Amino acid sequence: MTCRVVQWSTGNVGHWALRSIIARPELELVGVWVSSEAKAGKDAAELAGLDTPTGIAATTDAEALLALKPDCIVHTAMADDRLMEAVEDLKTFLRAGINVVSSSPVFLQFPYGTLPPEVIDPIVQAAEEGGASLWVNGIDPGWANDWLPLLLTSGSERIDRVVCSELMDYSTYDNPKVLFEIMGFGSALEDLPLLLQPGVLTLAWGSVVRQLAAALDVELDEVTQDFERIGAPAPIEVAGRTVAAGTAAALRFRVSGIRSGREVFVLEHITRLHPDLAPEWPQPAGKGCYRVEVEGEPDYRLDLQLYSDGDHARAGLVGTAARLVSAVPAVVQARPGLLTAIDLPLTTGRGLVS
């Protein structure tokens, strides 16, 4: 079965999603939505950095793309600073009978126990009304802390604690809005950015620990969050800006699922703008990695390194996009509603083996 697909946005993740859609014979690209007139009218291949034209021109006309009745929309538009507007977009797609795989809002990866019913129920109702499915995922939140740890636990006699970590140098991450506005790098340590406002970490990554708990049939008593920030000892040049000495340059945060007074699931991020910062914090394998630790019998520790053209930040974008695109056929065939990783069968990538 060939799935007709619309790519929604061509930014950091969307650029790679577009390339992945074009490369896959089981998918047919039928439209591309862009947010700027500067990109409108350009061939999808040009926006994807490919040489062979596709004959599909990008457009800012959302209604025209919905009228195409695609089987699925690959939605990668940034939602960090427009969460509820993004939710409304997704509901519009679903009501139109269009399945959606999306990289955001990340709290929809597994919203149960994190979001109130008045937020979840309208999304489910929109999906059921249109007979369509929504699946939100990526790498983190995503397969680095859903399928990857769950796969490791299948070899466990006893599980005491599961820890999923992202340990990354973000100095090559090309998204100034996320780095400086949302994560607060370069700001005074006493000024809390959006990400560190009360409840935001548990909203965004609480889904990770709650999904692991649901998959392993563990009832949590609570989900907690904490963080620590380190200032730059000297100026650092990042993404075309100077992070001044004394301003935020390293961040460590944890979201923990608590059962009977102890941590049983932990999601941790350790983010540095230079590898020499905070040497006492856990260190990555290579330039950056996703780490999964399963404590029990036996103990497991898996360090997953990823590179694209030598850069781990770029690899994360490619991997996030491919994760979504790989799932399109499974989501199209799934029941209508809001799906999670534990609802879908194992999906694999596609490619040529020579």
Side-chain angles (χ1 to χ4, degrees):
M1 179 187 74
T2 299
C3 297
R4 300 171 65 251
V5 177
V6 164
Q7 171 58 39
W8 208 272
S9 89
T10 59
N12 277 350
V13 176
H15 164 85
W16 297 106
L18 190 54
R19 291 174 65 96
S20 189
I21 293 167
I22 293 170
R24 297 179 187 231
E26 76 275 18
L27 305 180
E28 178 190 356
L29 180 70
V30 297
V32 179
W33 180 84
V34 290
S35 60
S36 70
E37 292 295 340
K39 292 183 178 180
K42 292 186 176 181
D43 190 276
E46 181 181 355
L47 295 174
L50 301 173
D51 295 329
T52 304
T54 64
I56 303 297
T59 181
T60 58
D61 189 343
E63 293 298 325
L65 293 175
L66 298 185
L68 294 174
K69 300 290 184 182
D71 296 306
C72 191
I73 286 175
V74 178
H75 174 264
T76 57
M78 184 175 171
D80 292 1
D81 58 348
R82 53 181 302 274
L83 293 175
M84 299 320 296
E85 294 94 330
V87 169
E88 290 303 315
D89 290 341
L90 298 176
K91 287 159 59 177
T92 297
F93 303 154
L94 295 169
R95 289 196 196 96
I98 303 169
N99 301 287
V100 185
V101 296
S102 178
S103 58
S104 58
V106 296
F107 52 63
L108 293 179
Q109 179 209 20
F110 189 89
Y112 308 106
T114 299
L115 297 179
E118 54 265 30
V119 176
I120 300 173
D121 290 349
I123 299 172
V124 175
Q125 291 167 6
E128 292 176 346
E129 179 183 332
S133 302
L134 167 64
W135 188 64
V136 178
N137 211 262
I139 287 185
D140 184 353
W143 64 266
N145 38 55
D146 53 47
W147 281 1
L148 201 59
L150 291 176
L151 175 63
L152 288 184
T153 64
S154 68
S156 297
E157 176 186 293
R158 186 189 76 251
I159 303 168
D160 297 329
R161 188 171 75 140
V162 179
V163 181
C164 301
S165 305
E166 180 191 86
L167 302 98
M168 293 286 180
D169 178 347
Y170 268 36
S171 62
T172 62
Y173 184 52
D174 186 20
N175 194 327
K177 188 177 188 68
V178 169
L179 284 173
F180 302 114
E181 296 182 30
I182 294 172
M183 299 185 74
F185 287 119
S187 65
L189 293 175
E190 63 271 19
D191 294 338
L192 294 187
L194 174 62
L195 183 66
L196 302 180
Q197 293 297 317
V200 173
L201 290 174
T202 52
L203 175 65
W205 279 276
S207 61
V208 170
V209 298
R210 292 186 188 280
Q211 182 164 238
L212 290 173
L216 296 175
D217 197 26
V218 175
E219 185 174 344
L220 297 175
D221 297 326
E222 62 177 329
V223 175
T224 65
Q225 69 175 60
D226 60 83
F227 66 87
E228 181 180 359
R229 303 166 89 195
I230 297 291
I236 302 173
E237 296 298 322
V238 176
R241 298 193 191 183
T242 299
V243 174
T247 64
L251 169 65
R252 181 180 188 179
F253 71 75
R254 292 161 54 89
V255 178
S256 304
I258 309 299
R259 168 76 175 176
S260 300
R262 69 179 185 88
E263 292 182 337
V264 289
F265 302 104
V266 179
L267 182 285
E268 180 174 52
H269 274 215
I270 295 177
T271 307
R272 299 173 170 95
L273 296 186
H274 192 281
D276 292 340
L277 294 171
E280 70 279 10
W281 292 353
Q283 297 292 330
K287 295 182 179 179
C289 73
Y290 290 98
R291 177 171 295 158
V292 178
E293 297 168 278
V294 179
E295 299 172 3
E297 182 56 43
D299 290 333
Y300 291 101
R301 173 168 163 168
L302 172 66
D303 281 342
L304 176 70
Q305 298 182 60
L306 58 167
Y307 299 99
S308 174
D309 198 27
D311 182 31
H312 55 282
R314 171 171 148 164
L317 299 174
V318 177
T320 295
R323 167 72 157 158
L324 296 174
V325 175
S326 295
V328 166
V331 171
V332 168
Q333 296 174 30
R335 62 166 176 80
L338 178 57
L339 307 175
T340 71
I342 55 181
D343 294 318
L344 291 186
L346 177 67
T347 58
T348 64
R350 296 291 186 272
L352 296 176
V353 179
S354 58

